[in-house]
Amino acid sequence: VMAAVGRSCGRLVYLAARHRLQAAAMPCLHRAGSVGFHQLSASQRPSKLPTFGIRFMTTHEFHTYADETLETLSNELEELVERHPDGLDFDISLANGVLTVDLDTRGTFVINKQSPNKQIWLSSPLSGPKRYDFDETLFDWVYSHDQVTLHTRLSKEFSELFATEVELIKPNKAWFE
């Protein structure tokens, strides 16, 4: 299929297969040389596609949203750790698009930007590895296999680890307007 469609639609072929979309919903899947999905205007794009809005974002927008997400998470987690009463040796660091949260005996979370894919990747001691795409509708990072957002998953996992209710704030669209 990749050879017939060409390189420009390769990611869309993958997403179409992953989400069981019909070829009719993906103009670039009809035949080699046809118009690519990325060349369609917003009004021409099918409405039944999954909303992974990041693939329509510029690289600059991706870095802006991803950096703000990591910075916000870093600040919130530092506050959470400071308030935690058990005094364990926790370490939180954010550098070069990688947020590392070392919770001593409880494990280490690594949350990082993947610029080529325009994704945020999570490595969690509780749920394992996950890859998040940005959803413009939710204005949050979503794991496509279960539709759980990054902030929802992290809030749940940190609530479990700290035995207290944790609700992490996601970046707000208004912050960027």
Side-chain angles (χ1 to χ4, degrees):
V1 174
M2 291 287 279
V5 174
R7 298 179 87 167
S8 65
C9 291
R11 174 97 171 116
L12 295 174
V13 170
Y14 167 74
L15 286 173
R18 192 160 133 196
H19 295 283
R20 296 177 183 87
L21 297 174
Q22 298 296 320
M26 302 288 294
C28 64
L29 299 181
H30 287 281
R31 65 188 182 285
S34 68
V35 65
F37 181 83
H38 61 280
Q39 296 170 318
L40 298 175
S41 70
S43 64
Q44 294 172 310
R45 291 183 186 138
S47 60
K48 292 195 175 199
L49 282 178
T51 52
F52 295 116
I54 196 66
R55 71 173 171 246
F56 303 114
M57 299 176 103
T58 66
T59 300
H60 174 74
E61 289 171 322
F62 163 73
H63 286 291
T64 300
Y65 294 148
D67 289 342
E68 185 62 34
T69 297
L70 294 174
E71 186 71 35
T72 302
L73 285 172
S74 176
N75 292 338
E76 287 193 83
L77 293 172
E78 284 177 2
E79 289 177 18
L80 176 66
V81 166
E82 287 174 10
R83 290 191 315 260
H84 199 268
D86 70 7
L88 291 176
D89 186 26
F90 298 147
D91 184 41
I92 299 173
S93 65
L94 175 60
N96 300 321
V98 180
L99 174 60
T100 305
V101 183
D102 182 357
L103 300 177
D104 197 35
T105 59
R106 299 175 188 192
T108 300
F109 288 81
V110 179
I111 307 163
N112 63 297
K113 295 189 318 184
Q114 285 294 317
S115 300
N117 303 8
K118 294 184 179 171
Q119 294 177 323
I120 288 185
W121 289 6
L122 165 68
S123 174
S124 162
L126 298 181
S127 61
K130 307 265 187 266
R131 296 177 180 187
Y132 291 83
D133 294 290
F134 191 78
D135 185 309
E136 289 178 325
T137 307
L138 299 174
F139 207 78
D140 203 352
W141 301 89
V142 177
Y143 182 55
S144 64
H145 295 282
D146 61 11
Q147 303 303 312
V148 175
T149 68
L150 175 65
H151 290 82
T152 300
R153 183 169 320 281
L154 289 174
S155 294
K156 180 181 176 202
E157 291 186 11
F158 283 108
S159 293
E160 185 178 323
L161 288 170
F162 285 97
T164 186
E165 186 66 29
V166 174
E167 187 172 341
L168 299 171
I169 299 170
K170 67 178 184 162
N172 187 316
K173 189 173 187 174
W175 297 354
F176 301 98
E177 295 173 347

